[in-house]
Amino acid sequence: MDLGISGKRALVCASSKGLGLGCAEALAAAGVHLVMNARGAEALEAAAQDIRGRYGVEVATVACDVTTPEGQAQVLEAASEPDILVTNAGGPPPGLWSDWDREDFIAALDANMLTPIALMKACLPAMQARGWGRVVNITSQSVKAPIPALGLSNAARTGLTGYVAGTSRQVAPQGVTINNLLPGIHDTDRAAALDGGVSRQQNISVDAARAQREATIPARRYGTREEFGAACAFLCSVHAGFIVGQNLLVDGGATNATI
Ligand code: NAP
């Protein structure tokens, strides 16, 4: 399917690895020029070089922490009013409800709620003025069904979801859509880190921790970054203009809900 977005320009945050990289690759495959970002310059440049080589699109890189105001200013300057914005950042650490203090919540809110909101606030006006724009926020299945060990993530991402629900309806009249993608477990460094935690906690091997988690997913496997990126690229396509303010689970059926 021709996604109809060849030649558009996208800012894809936190995209040297994992789900962000999957989104960057799928957009590049559709002919979209990219600004990619991550903190680590080496992996970022390697990913950008690979994408340039495979898809022939322009790729600029900005090595910075996108959860800081300085980092946000840097990516926004490089992307300069993009047509497409994909927000993403690392997830908050796991723990127990009684572990977390105000500072922990402020850090989680900054990274997973206030950063995407700041980026949207900066990018939406030009999209509205042009009469076309796409925003996809990478959130989590924990928005629909809480993951007890990820209370910081549950809290911050649900706040973002509420913001998107209202804002998406305010920018839709100008041809701008905002939607959220809700990953379940995908085969990325983040999933490996979570499996490592379970392995230590339960004194089992990392493979056993993974097999245990896979058994809870109806698809009986982890998702891939390519599958996730394809869903993102579709939401950014010309065909998705009537999809507004939605929360799309990409979780192999793990969230046991009718709607
Ligand atoms: P990942 O494989 O660990 O990749 C994270 C990417 O983001 C890397 O490129 C990393 O590069 C970059 N990054 C992290 N923090 C950043 C920051 N502050 N500023 C700029 N770049 C940053 O993680 P992932 O699995 O793709 O997860 C992406 C998001 O989806 C996370 O918020 C995660 O919690 C959420 N999620 C993932 C899953 C899953 O199964 N994978 C499920 C539900 C939700 P640097 O480290 O070099 O900055």
Side-chain angles (χ1 to χ4, degrees), residues 6 16 45 51 88 90 93-94 109 113 116 119 148 151-153 180 186 193 236 246 250 254:
S6 183
S16 67
E45 198 41 59
I51 289 179
N88 186 29
L109 292 172
M113 177 182 168
L119 293 171
L152 293 172
S153 171
N180 303 321
H186 283 71
C236 295
Q246 296 304 296
V250 185

Side-chain angles (χ1 to χ4, degrees), residues 16 21 45 60 66 118 122 125 147 160 171-172 174 177 191 203 234 239 252:
S16 67
L21 176 58
E45 198 41 59
V66 76
I147 300 171
L160 173 63
V171 298
Q174 289 86 40
T177 71
N203 202 21
F234 178 74
H239 311 295

Side-chain angles (χ1 to χ4, degrees), residues 160-200:
L160 173 63
T161 305
Y163 174 86
V164 166
T167 305
S168 60
R169 278 135 179 122
Q170 291 174 293
V171 298
Q174 289 86 40
V176 180
T177 71
I178 313 177
N179 293 287
N180 303 321
L181 273 179
L182 282 53
I185 298 298
H186 283 71
D187 204 353
T188 68
D189 288 357
R190 164 82 169 169
L194 292 175
D195 287 342
V198 171
S199 138
R200 283 189 296 280

Side-chain angles (χ1 to χ4, degrees), residues 92 104-116 152 155-157 159:
D104 302 306
F105 280 98
I106 297 294
L109 292 172
D110 262 340
N112 300 111
M113 177 182 168
L114 299 176
T115 293
L152 293 172
R157 297 187 198 277

Side-chain angles (χ1 to χ4, degrees), residues 53 57 74 84-85 147 165 168 170 172 174 191 207 214:
V57 295
Q74 278 179 264
I84 294 168
L85 167 67
I147 300 171
S168 60
Q170 291 174 293
Q174 289 86 40
D207 283 350
E214 283 177 333

Side-chain angles (χ1 to χ4, degrees), residues 47-228:
Q49 195 53 37
D50 178 57
I51 289 179
R52 286 181 200 111
R54 277 196 287 158
Y55 303 110
V57 295
E58 293 164 22
V59 185
T61 56
V62 185
C64 68
D65 182 343
V66 76
T67 67
T68 64
E70 301 75 32
Q72 288 153 26
Q74 278 179 264
V75 294
L76 288 168
E77 193 188 341
S80 171
E81 304 186 339
D83 304 295
I84 294 168
L85 167 67
V86 179
T87 77
N88 186 29
L96 194 63
W97 62 270
S98 50
D99 295 341
W100 301 311
D101 295 323
R102 177 179 166 77
E103 292 66 37
D104 302 306
F105 280 98
I106 297 294
L109 292 172
D110 262 340
N112 300 111
M113 177 182 168
L114 299 176
T115 293
I117 288 175
L119 293 171
M120 280 187 269
K121 195 172 173 207
C123 293
L124 287 170
M127 293 180 183
Q128 289 178 288
R130 283 196 295 265
W132 196 93
R134 296 285 184 266
V135 179
V136 173
N137 300 295
I138 300 179
T139 67
S140 171
Q141 65 179 359
S142 69
V143 165
K144 290 247 187 191
I147 300 171
L150 293 178
L152 293 172
S153 171
N154 298 338
R157 297 187 198 277
T158 306
L160 173 63
T161 305
Y163 174 86
V164 166
T167 305
S168 60
R169 278 135 179 122
Q170 291 174 293
V171 298
Q174 289 86 40
V176 180
T177 71
I178 313 177
N179 293 287
N180 303 321
L181 273 179
L182 282 53
I185 298 298
H186 283 71
D187 204 353
T188 68
D189 288 357
R190 164 82 169 169
L194 292 175
D195 287 342
V198 171
S199 138
R200 283 189 296 280
Q201 239 173 33
Q202 300 184 9
N203 202 21
I204 57 175
S205 70
V206 174
D207 283 350
R210 177 172 175 143
Q212 197 170 281
R213 201 194 297 265
E214 283 177 333
T216 67
I217 303 170
R220 296 288 186 268
R221 65 176 176 86
Y222 289 2
T224 68
R225 73 164 197 257
E226 289 82 4
E227 290 170 311
F228 190 85

